[in-house]
Amino acid sequence: MKFIMSLIAVAALSSVASAFAQDESPSPSPEEKASATVEDKPAATATPEQTKAQKKEETTATKSESPAAVKKETATATKSASPAAATASRKGMSTEAALRDMENKWEEAIAKHDTATVESMMSEDFIGVNSKNKVGGRRFVVSEVKSDKDTFASAKNEKLEVRMFGKDVAVVVGTSHEKGTGKDGKAFDRTYRYTDTWMNRGGKWQCVASQVALVSGK
């Protein structure tokens, strides 16, 4: 009898424990139910018009970011910002042509004793060697032009050759032929050969170095 009663007690305790465990199990929260509902909902299908518009936007973005497009934009910006290009465009001529024009105006200014034009051609740190092997700066050259007593009948450049070294440095090699009358009343006929080095600084070409040699005449 005791054995049967023990079995009944064990069975009763098992039923109580099972019921207690079911009561302790948490029920899903409203947020979890909503999340499950949203995840189970199928995604909306794009219309053909929306798909076509999306592809067009992706193609446009890819094209604008391509290396070729970036390179072209960079080259255009660089060209427009170049001081050498700005100088040529203002005068409506190439850099080489502009330098030849400046050399010609320099020679004309020497014949007219135009010290202002000669001075404007040279940089403040100019250094040069004249036909008498004297070394001097811009003031030295200007004083020579100012003190010159010769009367020029003609003065012109010949055989000008321009060599570019990058965008902002150029070397001009040429000859100048001068005729006229000296302060002693005697006629002169001289030919000089010179080498001028030019630099573009802030959009303005200036001669920074020069060397002159007397080829013929006195």
Side-chain angles (χ1 to χ4, degrees):
M1 176 63 72
K2 289 182 178 181
F3 178 75
I4 294 174
M5 293 298 295
S6 297
L7 291 176
I8 294 173
V10 169
L13 288 174
S14 299
S15 299
V16 173
S18 176
F20 181 78
Q22 291 179 356
D23 292 338
E24 289 294 327
S25 177
S27 59
S29 62
E31 290 78 7
E32 292 175 346
K33 290 181 179 180
S35 176
T37 303
V38 172
E39 292 176 354
D40 292 339
K41 184 178 180 179
T45 302
T47 64
E49 290 77 10
Q50 292 174 339
T51 303
K52 185 177 181 180
Q54 182 177 2
K55 287 183 178 180
K56 183 177 181 181
E57 292 177 356
E58 292 175 354
T59 303
T60 304
T62 303
K63 184 178 180 180
S64 62
E65 295 176 358
S66 65
V70 173
K71 184 177 181 180
K72 183 177 180 181
E73 292 175 359
T74 304
T76 302
T78 302
K79 184 176 180 181
S80 62
S82 172
T87 301
S89 63
R90 284 200 304 268
K91 293 191 174 185
M93 60 181 70
S94 66
T95 301
E96 290 82 354
L99 290 172
R100 289 191 181 92
D101 182 63
M102 293 177 71
E103 288 282 6
N104 291 331
K105 288 182 178 179
W106 190 344
E107 182 62 24
E108 292 173 1
I110 291 175
K112 295 177 181 178
H113 305 99
D114 181 2
T115 56
T117 299
V118 172
E119 186 175 9
S120 69
M121 297 291 178
M122 297 176 288
S123 64
E124 292 184 0
D125 55 354
F126 170 87
I127 185 71
V129 181
N130 67 7
S131 60
K132 298 178 182 179
N133 294 322
K134 291 183 178 180
V135 180
R138 183 169 68 174
R139 290 184 180 180
F140 174 73
V141 175
V142 172
S143 66
E144 278 193 322
V145 175
K146 187 176 182 179
S147 62
D148 183 24
K149 303 301 181 181
D150 292 341
T151 301
F152 291 82
S154 64
K156 60 181 180 179
N157 287 319
E158 300 172 347
K159 301 178 181 179
L160 291 178
E161 182 177 354
V162 181
R163 294 286 183 89
M164 298 297 300
F165 297 89
K167 294 181 179 180
D168 300 322
V169 178
V171 173
V172 180
V173 177
T175 59
S176 59
H177 191 189
E178 300 173 355
K179 292 182 180 181
T181 305
K183 61 182 180 179
D184 55 1
K186 294 181 179 181
F188 64 81
D189 187 344
R190 310 174 187 135
T191 300
Y192 299 93
R193 186 179 300 279
Y194 60 86
T195 301
D196 291 340
T197 301
W198 295 78
M199 288 189 68
N200 190 330
R201 291 174 172 174
K204 183 178 181 180
W205 283 95
Q206 289 186 313
C207 186
V208 296
S210 179
Q211 184 164 8
V212 183
L214 180 63
V215 178
S216 65
K218 292 183 180 181

